[in-house]
Amino acid sequence: MAHCGNESDSLEYVLVVLSGEQENMYLLSKGHANTIGRKMLGTAASATTIQLLNGTVSREHCSIEWCATSNGFILRDTNSLPGTIVNRQI
C-alpha cells in the first residue's frame, strides 16, 4: 500500500452532498485525512471531521485523504454497516 498523507498542504477539495437534509452543502478541507460520519464533532481521536446527519450514515462511516504517490484520493470504509458507495459501487 502506498504511503499517503498531507504531502500537499495547499490542496483543497469539495464534498458535495447530493441528497438528504444537508443537500447542496459544500464541505472544504485542506490536505489532510478526514473522517466522515454521524458522530459528534470534537477533539477526541475518534470524532468525525465531517458530520453528516443521515440515518444511512454510520457514526464513523469512512475516511478520505489525498495520496500524493497515486495522485488521487483514497476513500476507506471504516467497517460501516451499510458500506460506502462511490459511483454507485460499494
Side-chain angles (χ1 to χ4, degrees), residues 35-39 45-48 57-63 77-81:
T35 54
I36 300 170
R38 272 194 344 254
K39 194 169 188 174
S46 63
T48 59
V57 175
S58 296
R59 289 184 305 147
E60 296 174 21
H61 198 93
C62 63
S63 67
D77 184 82
T78 53
N79 297 318
S80 66
L81 184 60

Side-chain angles (χ1 to χ4, degrees), residues 11-55:
L11 181 69
E12 292 185 350
Y13 59 95
V14 178
L15 172 68
V16 180
V17 179
L18 298 176
S19 64
E21 291 181 21
Q22 293 169 292
E23 184 176 353
N24 297 326
M25 183 178 191
Y26 302 92
L27 305 169
L28 301 173
S29 188
K30 288 192 170 202
H32 56 32
N34 286 276
T35 54
I36 300 170
R38 272 194 344 254
K39 194 169 188 174
M40 289 291 283
L41 303 172
T43 57
S46 63
T48 59
T49 52
I50 299 172
Q51 185 179 35
L52 297 178
L53 301 173
N54 185 299

